[in-house]
Amino acid sequence: MSSTNTITTQLTLTPKQKPTAEQRGFGKYFTDHMFMMDYTLGQGWHNARIIPYQPISLDPSAMIFHYGQSVFEGMKAYKTADGDIQLFRPERNFKRLNASNERLCIPTIDEQFALEALKQLLAIDREWVPSEPGASLYIRPYIFASEPFLGVAPAKNYHFIIIMSPVGAYYSEGINPVKIVVEKQYVRAVVGGTGEAKTGGNYASGLKAQELASEEGYSQILWLDGKENRYIEEVGSMNIFFKINGKVITPALNGSILPGITRDSMLHLLKSNNFDVEERRITIDEIVQAFEEGTLEEAFGTGTAAVISPIGQLKWQDMKLTVNDGQIGEVTKMLYDTLTGIQNGTVEDKFDWIVKL
Ligand code: COI
């Protein structure tokens, strides 16, 4: 780790055509430049550079391909009506990246330096930040083992890269409610595993259940805990919240759940709006009971990519639990409007979450 690194810049000679709003989708187009930095044992992080977006070359024995030593983050930049570019709680992403690094035995980065590098990259590619409502520039910082070696051990070489992609909604449903299956056969994580780290393997291991759910017409999986298969953990790429009888409940962070930055922001917004909020263990039986008693008022997922995704139906075994008649709930809508308003600069940032470029 070193904060004495300077960043060299090489600009592209062939800027790309930007996608239209219709073409954008999620994560399909990338800006003209990327940030890259290398780590060598004994030398630390070095060679920080902004270069034209390009393929990278790796030895076929690079350890990332074999043992999955990699971590990533997801964050977004927004353009305000005045044309300012702003980030949402970016320091929390770099902090979490380092927490993931620690768990995966990857050398930590200098968080302030990483933010400075991101700001420089954004300044260069600022024309790529979309301004329409619901659109943003998705930012993907990631680190992976590049050492050519087949032994199982922490690697001695890594790359840290930041790429950026102009995006619209993550789910094709947008802010319309999604249908979710509560998974019974497969699990995502166990306490003591890597569930609370943002590492690719957590997502790879979820693909099978996701594939089966898609075949049945469901957008996502709701994971239960890996030990007793009854406590609710998180949705495929989001944390989850329920509103039951006026109270908003989300599973407490227990070591196997991803500590979402959007989750944390929702908790702040709910508390500042005087909602009764609980972070605790919650079983699928409690959700079924609330549904049967008519007190399951709202359910929604939260994450950087999706922002907030209302859940219109939960399938658990043979039961289909329809939430709020399959419509977006009042609290879900309030949270979506407030959070996206803060992010886009139309709602006051009382929490000091915004970092301007
Ligand atoms: C995000 O919400 O930014 C994530 O990293 C989830 C990702 C799998 C799309």
Side-chain angles (χ1 to χ4, degrees):
M1 179 161 78
S2 161
S3 50
T4 56
N5 270 300
T6 49
I7 304 170
T8 62
T9 300
Q10 182 202 343
L11 297 182
T12 184
L13 299 176
T14 52
K16 292 181 272 195
Q17 175 109 29
K18 296 177 186 60
T20 61
E22 294 70 42
Q23 286 170 325
R24 236 178 252 141
F26 184 90
K28 298 194 294 183
Y29 297 89
F30 298 92
T31 66
D32 283 322
H33 298 89
M34 61 195 263
F35 170 78
M36 188 159 181
M37 191 172 189
D38 309 325
Y39 178 89
T40 310
L41 190 67
Q43 191 182 358
W45 286 106
H46 62 280
N47 195 12
R49 55 207 187 272
I50 291 173
I51 51 176
Y53 187 94
Q54 60 192 269
I56 50 176
S57 157
L58 287 173
D59 193 283
S61 68
M63 291 169 81
I64 175 59
F65 297 133
H66 308 278
Y67 310 122
Q69 212 191 352
S70 78
V71 295
F72 71 94
E73 272 303 319
M75 55 212 288
K76 282 178 174 170
Y78 309 84
K79 189 175 272 171
T80 68
D82 298 335
D84 290 341
I85 308 287
Q86 52 190 36
L87 292 157
F88 181 74
R89 308 185 81 184
E91 67 292 340
R92 294 288 294 233
N93 289 93
F94 288 120
K95 193 168 182 261
R96 189 173 62 184
L97 188 64
N98 266 343
S100 302
N101 279 335
E102 296 276 5
R103 180 63 184 83
L104 274 287
C105 294
I106 294 176
T108 54
I109 52 158
D110 180 327
E111 293 164 27
Q112 263 146 28
F113 181 78
L115 181 53
E116 178 52 34
L118 170 59
K119 285 181 173 176
Q120 289 191 25
L121 179 63
L122 263 176
I124 291 171
D125 278 346
R126 62 178 297 136
E127 295 305 320
W128 284 83
V129 185
S131 54
E132 306 88 36
S136 58
L137 188 70
Y138 187 77
I139 300 164
R140 173 54 59 85
Y142 61 107
I143 303 179
F144 59 91
S146 54
E147 184 192 354
F149 180 52
L150 292 186
V152 179
K156 298 189 181 74
N157 306 91
Y158 299 84
H159 291 304
F160 170 27
I161 295 179
I162 305 178
I163 54 173
M164 308 194 294
S165 169
V167 298
Y170 182 67
Y171 293 118
S172 53
E173 290 92 338
I175 186 66
N176 296 318
V178 292
K179 293 194 325 178
I180 286 191
V181 182
V182 185
E183 177 58 37
K184 209 169 160 335
Q185 184 184 358
Y186 298 101
V187 297
R188 172 187 175 273
V190 289
V191 175
T194 58
E196 67 180 352
K198 215 159 166 56
T199 181
N202 289 343
Y203 296 81
S205 69
L207 292 177
K208 188 71 205 169
Q210 173 69 50
E211 191 178 67
L212 297 173
S214 304
E215 281 167 17
E216 275 191 79
Y218 290 87
S219 322
Q220 286 270 314
I221 297 295
L222 174 56
W223 298 108
L224 300 181
D225 75 283
K227 194 169 171 206
E228 295 181 55
N229 224 238
R230 33 190 306 245
Y231 295 102
I232 289 173
E233 297 242 307
E234 62 182 79
V235 193
S237 56
M238 300 182 287
N239 294 113
I240 191 161
F241 287 75
F242 298 96
K243 179 162 169 273
I244 299 178
N245 213 5
K247 260 189 206 153
V248 184
I249 309 168
T250 192
L253 300 178
N254 61 353
S256 59
I257 294 175
L258 186 83
I261 295 160
T262 312
R263 172 189 182 278
D264 181 75
S265 308
M266 293 303 176
L267 289 171
H268 278 87
L269 290 178
L270 286 161
K271 286 176 194 164
S272 79
N273 279 284
N274 298 319
F275 278 94
D276 203 352
V277 183
E278 290 182 357
E279 287 179 81
R280 62 166 169 87
R281 291 179 114 189
I282 175 164
T283 61
I284 184 64
D285 297 335
E286 187 178 337
I287 300 300
V288 172
Q289 190 183 343
F291 171 76
E292 283 169 349
E293 290 172 355
T295 54
L296 177 59
E297 293 155 354
E298 297 184 36
F300 56 92
T302 64
T304 298
V307 189
I308 191 163
S309 183
I311 297 170
Q313 190 194 94
L314 283 166
K315 178 170 184 281
W316 167 237
Q317 298 176 330
D318 297 332
M319 284 173 275
K320 287 185 178 163
L321 320 182
T322 300
V323 188
N324 195 36
D325 287 331
Q327 304 300 312
I328 182 168
E330 229 172 80
V331 175
T332 312
K333 176 87 172 64
M334 179 280 286
L335 290 170
Y336 176 81
D337 289 343
T338 312
L339 189 74
T340 54
I342 294 173
Q343 292 170 335
N344 295 320
T346 55
V347 169
E348 187 196 349
D349 173 27
K350 287 191 208 143
F351 303 91
D352 225 5
W353 283 336
I354 293 298
V355 172
K356 290 211 181 266
L357 192 61

